[in-house]
Amino acid sequence: MTDPTAIQPSELDQLPDRDPEETAEWRASLDAVTKAAGPHRAAYLMRRTLERAEAGGLALPKLLETDYVNTIPTAAEPTVDGDEAMEARITAWNRWNAAAMVTRGSKHGVGGHIATFASAAWLYETGFNHFFRGKEGDGSGDQLYIQGHASPGIYARAFLDGRLNETHLDNFRQEAGGNGLPSYPHPRRLPWLWEFPTVSMGLGPLSAIYQARFNRYLTSRGIKDVSQSHVWAFLGDGEMDEPESTAALALASREGLDNLTFVINCNLQRLDGPVRANFKIVQELEAQFRGAGWNVIKSLWGSAWDELFQLDTTGALVRRLRQVPDAQVQTYQTRDAAYIRQDFFGADPALAEMAKLLSDDKILECFHLSRGGHEARKVYAAYKAAVEHEGAPTVILAQTVKGYTLGQGFASKNANHQMKKLTTDEFKQMRDLLELPISDAQFVDGVVPYGHPGTDSPEVRYLQERRAALGGPAPARRTHALAPLPAPAEKAFTSFDKGSGTQNVATTMAFVRLVKDLVRDKQTGRRWVPIVPDEARTFGMESLFPSLGIYSPKGQTYEPVDRDQLMYYKEAKDGQILNEGITEAGSMADFIAASTSYATHGETMIPFYIFYSMFGWQRTADQMWQLGDQLGRGFLIGATAGRTTLTGEGLQHADGHSPVIAATNPAALTYDPAFAYEVAAIVRDGLRRMYGEAAPGEDPNVFYYLTVYNEPLPQPAKPAAPGVDEGIIKGLYRFNTAESAGLSPASPKLSASLEPGGTPIAPRIQLLGSGTAIHWTLQAQKLLAEEWGVAADVWSATSWTELRRDALEADAALLRGEERVPYVRQVLHGAEGPVLAVSDYMRQVPDQIAQWVEQDYSSLGADGFGLSDTREAARRHFGVDAESIVVAALAQLARRGEIKASDVKEARERYRL
């Protein structure tokens, strides 16, 4: 049998022991203490020793967990800089109005959440009264990521300070009339109040980390000193199960983001029940954050527990608190003192003796009410410690009771997240508990009244004075009066108009070449923010490394392996490129922070994020929606786009649907450019619309999604025909006709009709192609003319989505009695023959416009999963290569009776389809 006390092999065996005898003495001392005083005493001494070692600067691994007690002892709590009684009255009013607003709204069936703010009220109020800096002072103020389900409490506070009125509150979740309040933080719906959309849980914590990081980026690059801005993210303990919530913890620690604080409301409940029914979520989170290098502050117990901890001379109370699972803590919240005496204190003889010294009222006060997150003094201590901590981000784990002050019908009940209202009796009980001067007579016809102490009351004056001292109202979003950015030199865009001659150029490379010119612009170049998820070399962007540098707060502390090469890997404290590693989610969070800097910091930045198109929208579409909701501006670049263009990578890399997903986002302007000059025209228009002078009726709060391809092909010159520039931006223009392409359709095989005088008329078809598909379309145009006597006109469809949106707007205008023709119908009007649309995406992409095309319409696309093969084989597999287009075009003409059906059969056999 193995001796359990024997020293097992460990990594320490690899380290030199200069004095084995001394080592043995230390071990013997520990054994003696354990034997004489017990394992708990021995553990205590070891922890004190480690604490001393850390204070002395010894490099030792830290413990991942501490006891289930407050990090800051009561005796070490600082004095609150304010009037605690006054703040309690303010908080009481806000609690009341938050609950009243949701309850009144429930009569209209619109719902709402009451219990979350009830648990977190002091977490917000303490911050508003003492810590959160507004935007009217120096700098940019703080950035507040408010937990979505707590929004009623934020509205209640805005009502108290005069920013909202009763009509606003009565229109909570009723926005259609124009005076309503959105359910959650939605900047697009209430842009003067909300900065960050957070209710898509998990995105708030991820975005907060990258916002704090972007603040450092702005300061390091000399764009703006925002070193005094602090980022606060208010989160739920259940929310931390979302993978995005903890995806970037190591980044925050690695870069020492001490301008960031997470406040996790640990009410131990998620939407359906306990977060960790059989475990302890606080301890789990502490270990996770400590392991990632964060400073952890636990604020678990209120001051009522001080007496219990003083009576705990054996450590039994602390041990029992660590043993009890979270679900049982919730049960204590709803049970009487007798049950708690038996179940909690009765589990240990020492605790049973302690319980004899406690009254029932004391036990109920501790187990029902007293939590660290419900006391301003303890929250204040935690916040002060967080903002004063240097070198690492801080997480505050604040324990609360979900439904606190709402009565026993709410507190800690599993269903309280779905409970939308209080009864009149419950409101009266709440009123008495909060000591609010609201009379029974104010409850008219069973409707709970809003409460307000008066615009000139001591409470309102105190609230406004505190906010004035901290820099103005919060939360608040400010759109600064920024001058439009000057347009870059025209040369950067027109250099593509002549084409590439004999050189083959992929549109990905065309975009990179354009960016190289734009970042050199003396007026706006420094405002570009290139964002890459560890694929810069894939996209041909490595030449930007030495010229722009990769942002790193530490600079470059090593000699790069390729230092002797022209395009070496260069990191710098003022680097311009954000190379995020293999994280699309992190890259998107970067993009969101940069794209909204015009509002957050009053500094216009121009981010472009380039990624495998398959891994952008598919992985992070929720963040793209967040981007639109937050009114972000910039360029998303889906590179290596298309289902058949990226050879050999297979179905997981072959994008055939990102434009479909992008089309669902109202803020995304989706383009699939075929040629380099189209890329340049779209980027130029984006810079004008988002950063320059938007045209009347244009919303500048949009972002552009461009798909670009890695297939090197000849880039043609820009056609000189009128309307090309307009067509590129609106989504469609005629690239050429059979005649302008130098083709003379003639074939005795086809049954062409005769004009008067005997001149044969070739059948004609309109071919619409987007992106890389236009090259196969041009090949098909030649085959149709030379082998089948068919005249084909080729159109470049730069944006199926924008064509559809324009058509939808035209339909809506007709319903209003306005006569308007969709652009797609205008440009195709009178075009002879049927229309065949082709793209490297699923047919759903070009089919977006089908109902507005007056000609016979058909489409080809790459539906299904991708596969690994050559481009040619993949295109034949999906039926989108030139020969497949020819057969499809002939089939359309045969259905119209313009050619023989046998010719379609012959074409299929000739091309071996």
Side-chain angles (χ1 to χ4, degrees), residues 468-518:
L470 288 166
R477 181 178 182 272
R478 292 287 184 267
T479 50
H480 306 262
L482 299 176
L485 290 184
E490 191 70 10
K491 181 181 178 181
F493 305 104
T494 58
S495 61
F496 296 96
D497 288 356
K498 295 181 180 180
S500 62
T502 59
Q503 182 184 7
N504 290 337
V505 177
T507 51
T508 297
M509 291 310 303
F511 175 79
V512 172
R513 190 177 301 176
L514 175 63
V515 166
K516 288 179 182 177
D517 290 338
L518 294 175

Side-chain angles (χ1 to χ4, degrees), residues 865-881:
F865 289 107
L867 75 165
S868 300
D869 213 313
T870 64
R871 293 183 178 116
E872 293 76 14
R875 286 161 189 167
R876 176 55 59 92
H877 171 81
F878 286 109
V880 293
D881 60 350

Side-chain angles (χ1 to χ4, degrees), residues 114-126:
I114 301 178
T116 295
F117 178 72
S119 68
W122 275 115
L123 303 181
Y124 291 106
E125 291 300 320
T126 303

